[in-house]
Amino acid sequence: MADMNDAAIALNRFGLGARHDEAVPADPRAWLRDQLDAYEPAPAAFEGARNAAALGGEYAEAMARVRDIEAAERMAARKKMRREAQAVYRAEIAMRVRAALEAPAPFVERLVHFWSNHFTISAQKPQVTLMAGAFEREAIRPNVLGRFEDMLVAAVRHPAMLHYLDQVRSIGPNSRIAGRAAGRGRQRGINENLAREIMELHTLGVRSGYGQADVAEFALALTGASVGGGARGGAAGGYVFRPGMHEPGTRSILGRVYDQRGQRQARTVLADLAVADATAMHVATKLARHFIADDPPPAVVTRLAEAFRRSRAI
């Protein structure tokens, strides 16, 4: 029988704890490896959960109705919307707890939690409150055992992330929409929140060599990434690229020139950031801290970073 210390480490450090109805794994390493095939991206616990596009579309429609009612009634209507969003959020939490309790692959569920924290969002804004659960189900769970680049793109383009970091408000200063706004005496410009978060938290990490100029250029490349719905068109509540908001021209980021048009420009930048050496070290360090120690052995971090570079799948 396996050493109980090894089993305890497998169950608690790499899993979600021991279950009363399961035996202690005789071979902890094999038990962990086998879970890679047992993982369920869409378990029964989430049956009936609505997707982000539907939730976002409903929110946009509700906001349009609120704008049309008398000012005295708007506050009560908005409070009602917040309560409804919080009810969806609590239901999502209950489903997530059930999924964890019933999971046939607790090790992979632990990875889901890790990556959700890595691509963290705040549920303070009502749109994000509604879509926080959908974000994990749609951007993280399907990609948790796949390529990092795919998860990065799914997270960055998810409407919850786009609302959370105000990307929907980011408009290229020389774009068509900015030009029309200027003609009406309105100033429209970029928002750097998403670009900065991607570089600082999602990929390269702090003090990894990028500067403010890189963030500003990346923010320009990201313009046009938005959410559909309402008078602006697009798939209601889901990701949409708006060419009229995109800053035209070539971008220079981290010494590389990006001359692609439209959304291909930011997509190419994301592909490069996903496989950068700094990203490999940043992600490897976070994984080692999560599963091993706050100050993990450098050799372990190096080994994880090398695996990241080889597979592009951590």
Side-chain angles (χ1 to χ4, degrees):
M1 183 169 178
D3 187 298
M4 283 301 295
N5 288 333
D6 289 344
I9 289 171
L11 287 163
N12 297 301
R13 182 173 292 179
F14 290 89
L16 299 172
R19 284 175 51 166
H20 71 90
D21 58 346
E22 288 184 339
V24 173
D27 184 341
R29 290 176 183 271
W31 179 75
L32 290 171
R33 287 195 299 267
D34 290 345
Q35 291 180 45
L36 301 180
D37 295 324
Y39 171 64
E40 298 175 354
F46 295 112
E47 187 175 354
R50 287 178 290 169
N51 61 39
L55 292 165
E58 291 173 10
Y59 181 84
E61 292 173 3
M63 282 298 295
R65 290 194 297 271
V66 167
R67 286 191 291 268
D68 291 338
I69 65 178
E70 296 294 330
E73 300 174 5
R74 286 179 193 161
M75 184 174 294
R78 285 176 176 158
K79 285 183 178 179
K80 181 175 182 291
M81 288 175 63
R82 283 195 293 271
R83 287 195 301 270
E84 291 172 348
Q86 289 164 0
V88 171
Y89 184 74
R90 287 192 296 270
E92 289 278 4
I93 291 174
M95 287 186 283
R96 192 182 196 253
V97 170
R98 181 187 163 195
L101 290 173
E102 299 175 350
F107 172 39
V108 189
E109 292 294 330
R110 182 74 174 264
L111 283 170
V112 169
H113 298 176
F114 169 84
W115 286 114
S116 289
N117 183 67
H118 181 78
F119 293 105
T120 190
I121 57 175
S122 168
Q124 292 297 313
K125 295 177 181 177
Q127 307 100 306
V128 189
T129 304
L130 273 172
M131 295 185 285
F135 173 76
E136 182 176 278
R137 287 186 284 103
E138 296 166 1
I140 306 301
R141 295 190 67 88
N143 296 298
V144 70
L145 296 180
R147 298 168 67 243
F148 174 76
E149 180 183 331
D150 294 337
M151 190 189 304
L152 172 65
V153 173
V156 166
R157 288 184 172 180
H158 196 276
M161 184 71 75
L162 296 173
H163 278 297
Y164 165 50
L165 294 173
D166 299 312
Q167 180 62 29
V168 294
R169 302 174 183 273
S170 188
I171 299 174
N174 297 301
S175 66
R176 295 198 306 271
I177 288 179
R180 290 201 296 267
R184 297 192 294 270
R186 299 173 62 188
Q187 188 70 30
R188 308 296 291 270
I190 63 170
N191 186 299
E192 297 180 354
N193 289 350
L194 181 59
R196 191 178 309 280
E197 194 108 333
I198 291 170
M199 298 180 109
E200 180 178 322
L201 300 179
H202 300 162
T203 59
L204 305 174
V206 296
R207 295 182 293 277
S208 57
Y210 70 88
Q212 172 55 30
D214 298 307
V215 173
E217 284 283 280
F218 189 22
L220 290 171
L222 284 164
T223 51
S226 189
V227 175
R232 294 175 297 176
Y239 169 79
V240 67
F241 180 76
R242 304 187 185 283
M245 297 170 66
H246 182 66
E247 179 71 6
T250 298
R251 311 268 72 84
S252 178
I253 302 168
L254 292 167
R256 296 186 181 184
V257 174
Y258 296 90
D259 59 1
Q260 296 81 7
R261 292 177 178 270
Q263 62 184 326
R264 287 183 57 243
Q265 189 173 69
R267 180 65 181 83
T268 306
V269 179
L270 287 172
D272 287 345
L273 292 175
V275 298
D277 286 344
T279 299
M281 288 300 297
H282 178 56
V283 171
T285 300
K286 289 189 68 174
L287 279 165
R289 284 176 177 162
H290 182 83
F291 286 107
I292 298 173
D294 290 342
D295 186 17
V300 172
V301 175
T302 299
R303 185 176 178 183
L304 283 169
E306 290 173 351
F308 184 99
R309 296 186 188 99
R310 287 195 307 271
S311 69
R312 300 184 182 184
I314 290 181

